[in-house]
Amino acid sequence: MSPIILNVILHATLQTLEMVFASTAFSVLVGLPLAVFMIVTGPNGLYRLPIIGRLVGIIVDALRAIPFIILLVVLIPVTRFIAGTSLGTEAAIVPLSIAGIPYFARLAEVSLREVDMGLVDAVKAMGGTRLTIIRSVLIPEALPSLIGSLTVTLITMVSASAMAGAIGAGGLGDLAIRYGYQRFNTTVMMDVVIVLIIMVFIIQMVGNSLTRWLRH
Amino acid sequence: MKAPILESRHVTHRFGGQAALKNISFSIEKGEVVGVIGRSGAGKSTLLRFLCALETPEEGQILLDGIDLTKQPENRLIEIRRHIGLVFQHFNLLTSRTVASNIALPLQIAGRPRREQQERVNELLELVGLAGFGEKYPSQLSGGQKQRVGIARALAANPTLLLCDEATSALDPESTTSILNLLTDINRKLGLTIIIITHEMDVVRRFARRILALDHGKLIEDGTLIDFLSDGGQKKTLQPLLADIRPKLPNDVAQQMCETDSPGAAIIMRVVHSGEGVMPPFFGALAQRFTLDAALLQGGVTTISGQPVGDMIVSLRGERRDEAVEFVKELVKSMEVLGYVPHHP
């Protein structure tokens, strides 16, 4: 493999990593509060706001219903507004995050729902406020499971970022399509696939061991 | 009479039109140990949620230290809950926190300084016999140890009242004994008022001085177990609950027994006695004075909340049987005729 190709692959890998981690960070930053909101406003929740709670749920599901490749195109004006351009790695972070937020929100909601309601009761009976319950019961108790959700989201973002490559986001997906597919360069194609596989393996491995460590 | 620490006045509550609690009234004084007993569905858990201010009944009042819990706003209730310790059947310890950190949680909620939290946690670990376990996680402990942590946590904020919800029901017999001993100890050392909610009469027998019996949402009895045992079986509603801890009639006797007396028949009686001398040595006396066949069919002396109580089923047969029955009646606290076994020559 020529040093030039190696350099191109390295560059694309860094772009992919940037997209994956930045969009996942936004997904967690916005998705986790959304998930908590859906849990605490749900039936038997800490706050009884069933209508607003359901509304948020509907928006989350609507966003999840749109296939990512379509979302990419639909969101171009939004992307342009936020990032100043619809092209490049930074711009791709916008649609990736918007797809990632509802995805992580639903996964995190499941994780939070698994928390034993007896623990919520226990802290309530101790005189804990609702904020205390969220901070010291819901999130810490769901943390191992939330890390699992985070791992799944990261891996989903890896494949979504490859799709974003198709509309000029750069990264490994872009490389595979332009060099591998359009120029019939099978070596580059294979190299990209191997890099992606290794990336996913590492994410999964780190996620698993983190979950195990947190479960005590 | 001292002012009651906890009082329930005409508490009534319905779930979907069905009455879960009907007109429950009782009052508990400081330092009392009370067992609330009833089968599942009797309304115990509903009552507990009212007593610990987690929920409010539709009608009636709950007074803790003279404050009506049913009339407080939520932010006041949050404050009040900090003075009630709650121990759960399934421990409900936070798995993400160490033992020490679990015990410190109520103190953290109350906003006590970190130094004080640490000192109190060490004190409590010592009290419940778990010194040196502070840095472990709940998943590393046995059921009995987890419940000790649960008790320590409930005691952390110096509650005025300790409520135990089926605190021993998930434990093996050995751990049950040790937890009950711990609770008895805490009551004695700290003078803390303890209410234990359970479906097991045996727990109440070993632990509580006073019993509140619930059945189908109604408070059917309020008194001491000794009173219930020695009332001669008049309180029919309580008998199924008491059956767990009472001597049972042996099967062969039960089969032969009939309700009517006949010449030469043996009389089968349940005899209860407590207090001084526990069981007067009447078998010997009976045999000598009335030349009878006196036999102990089942039972003996048990301990009820620290007091020895004799509860037994005896059989008397002989010429002067009725005289002997009168003699026994004078001697013991209560006596109940169960039936007669006819004489087969």
Side-chain angles (χ1 to χ4, degrees):
Chain A
M1 210 190 309
S2 75
I4 298 166
I5 294 286
L6 202 66
N7 202 25
V8 169
I9 290 178
L10 187 70
H11 186 65
T13 305
L14 289 177
Q15 281 180 328
T16 293
L17 286 175
E18 187 189 345
M19 283 189 280
V20 167
F21 281 95
S23 59
T24 304
F26 284 119
S27 302
V28 173
L29 235 51
V30 183
L32 185 60
L34 273 180
V36 170
F37 186 81
M38 287 192 283
I39 287 288
V40 297
T41 56
N44 308 318
L46 295 169
Y47 299 83
R48 297 208 172 123
L49 301 164
I51 295 170
I52 305 175
R54 198 164 312 154
L55 203 70
V56 170
I58 288 170
I59 294 169
V60 162
D61 288 339
L63 276 174
R64 292 208 314 138
I66 305 169
F68 184 61
I69 194 87
I70 296 168
L71 199 67
L72 273 175
V73 181
V74 171
L75 287 177
I76 285 175
V78 180
T79 307
R80 209 171 271 150
F81 177 74
I82 296 173
T85 171
S86 64
L87 298 172
T89 308
E90 277 81 23
I93 292 170
V94 176
L96 279 170
S97 301
I98 290 174
I101 287 166
Y103 187 79
F104 182 74
R106 274 295 182 212
L107 287 178
E109 189 201 357
V110 174
S111 302
L112 291 168
R113 207 177 286 288
E114 279 166 15
V115 174
D116 182 0
M117 282 311 286
L119 301 179
V120 172
D121 252 9
V123 176
K124 214 173 173 183
M126 271 173 218
T129 58
R130 293 184 278 204
L131 209 62
T132 310
I133 293 169
I134 293 169
R135 261 201 333 232
S136 55
V137 184
L138 281 181
I139 292 172
E141 288 297 311
L143 197 58
S145 175
L146 284 172
I147 296 294
S149 306
L150 176 69
T151 311
V152 174
T153 307
L154 276 168
I155 290 168
T156 307
M157 287 299 122
V158 170
S159 61
S161 74
M163 242 185 277
I167 63 147
L172 288 165
D174 181 39
L175 187 66
I177 289 174
R178 284 194 291 128
Y179 285 66
Y181 178 63
Q182 289 166 349
R183 292 192 197 171
F184 306 106
N185 191 337
T186 317
T187 324
V188 172
M189 182 74 100
M190 289 315 291
D191 290 343
V192 167
V193 169
I194 289 168
V195 172
L196 286 172
I197 290 174
I198 292 170
M199 203 182 277
V200 168
F201 269 28
I202 291 174
I203 292 171
Q204 189 66 55
M205 227 166 59
V206 172
N208 285 352
S209 35
L210 206 57
T211 305
R212 226 184 349 255
W213 179 71
L214 283 169
R215 282 207 201 277
H216 306 297
Chain B
M1 202 179 117
K2 288 181 282 182
I5 197 157
L6 182 72
E7 208 177 336
S8 168
R9 287 186 189 161
H10 311 292
V11 167
T12 296
H13 195 76
R14 286 173 207 85
F15 281 126
Q18 192 126 24
L21 288 177
K22 293 173 213 158
N23 200 16
I24 305 283
S25 294
F26 59 85
S27 81
I28 290 169
E29 275 172 43
K30 186 169 164 38
E32 266 197 284
V33 178
V34 179
V36 176
I37 191 156
R39 277 170 290 178
S40 51
K44 305 186 298 275
S45 309
T46 313
L47 182 64
L48 176 96
R49 294 185 74 84
F50 296 154
L51 296 183
C52 65
L54 275 176
E55 271 159 53
T56 311
E58 286 177 341
E59 287 166 44
Q61 295 163 292
I62 306 272
L63 281 87
L64 180 69
D65 250 345
I67 299 164
D68 186 356
L69 301 186
T70 59
K71 296 210 169 42
Q72 305 300 321
E74 177 67 18
N75 58 358
R76 202 50 206 108
L77 283 178
I78 286 175
E79 179 58 36
I80 289 167
R81 286 182 200 129
R82 293 177 187 169
H83 302 289
I84 304 169
L86 196 50
V87 180
F88 299 86
Q89 178 177 9
H90 297 293
F91 328 123
N92 293 358
L93 302 176
L94 299 179
T95 58
S96 55
R97 287 173 168 244
T98 60
V99 165
S101 172
N102 261 290
I103 298 172
L105 187 58
L107 300 167
Q108 218 173 305
I109 287 172
R112 305 279 180 80
R114 193 168 284 272
R115 257 304 275 279
E116 194 193 319
Q117 287 181 26
Q118 262 168 20
E119 279 169 22
R120 183 83 182 123
V121 166
N122 289 333
E123 222 175 277
L124 287 160
L125 282 171
E126 193 79 41
L127 177 74
V128 300
L130 284 180
F133 281 72
E135 292 316 306
K136 285 193 189 290
Y137 281 92
S139 57
Q140 296 166 293
L141 304 182
S142 71
Q145 289 171 331
K146 282 182 195 165
Q147 196 57 296
R148 284 168 184 273
V149 178
I151 291 170
R153 182 179 68 176
L155 293 175
N158 286 312
T160 47
L161 179 69
L162 186 66
L163 292 170
C164 305
D165 183 15
E166 300 276 6
T168 58
S169 302
L171 301 177
D172 58 73
E174 213 173 297
S175 309
T176 298
T177 304
S178 81
I179 291 294
L180 290 177
N181 289 341
L182 174 64
L183 288 172
T184 309
D185 228 38
I186 286 166
N187 169 257
R188 208 175 306 138
K189 271 191 207 153
L190 311 176
L192 188 63
T193 315
I194 303 180
I195 299 177
I196 187 159
I197 286 179
T198 181
H199 65 276
E200 292 167 306
M201 202 45 138
D202 191 49
V203 167
V204 171
R205 173 183 72 79
R206 291 195 281 179
F207 179 64
R209 257 151 266 169
R210 180 174 157 204
I211 302 177
L212 299 173
L214 284 180
D215 190 43
H216 292 98
K218 277 191 280 202
L219 183 65
I220 53 168
E221 296 301 340
D222 178 355
T224 66
L225 186 53
I226 297 167
D227 290 342
F228 296 149
L229 288 180
S230 53
D231 83 337
Q234 286 164 34
K235 287 175 176 148
K236 290 278 177 273
T237 43
L238 213 56
Q239 294 310 317
L241 287 169
L242 289 173
D244 287 351
I245 57 160
R246 305 205 80 170
K248 284 171 198 62
L249 201 59
N251 265 338
D252 55 328
V253 179
Q255 276 161 16
Q256 291 174 48
M257 202 170 78
C258 53
E259 279 175 31
T260 50
D261 200 0
S262 53
I267 186 167
I268 310 294
M269 307 186 300
R270 186 188 285 280
V271 175
V272 178
H273 194 67
S274 67
E276 305 258 314
V278 188
M279 221 53 215
F282 68 71
F283 285 107
L286 288 175
Q288 275 177 16
R289 282 174 69 166
F290 305 102
T291 51
L292 283 171
D293 280 343
L296 172 65
L297 295 180
Q298 200 67 261
V301 176
T302 56
T303 311
I304 293 175
S305 52
Q307 205 179 336
V309 172
D311 187 2
M312 53 186 84
I313 295 174
V314 297
S315 148
L316 302 179
R317 190 198 296 275
E319 292 271 309
R320 297 167 65 195
R321 190 197 73 187
D322 293 344
E323 276 176 71
V325 170
E326 284 307 310
F327 172 75
V328 172
K329 201 182 252 173
E330 289 297 307
L331 223 53
V332 300
K333 191 154 186 176
S334 99
M335 199 190 80
E336 177 193 355
V337 177
L338 299 175
Y340 303 89
V341 173
H343 182 59
H344 298 293

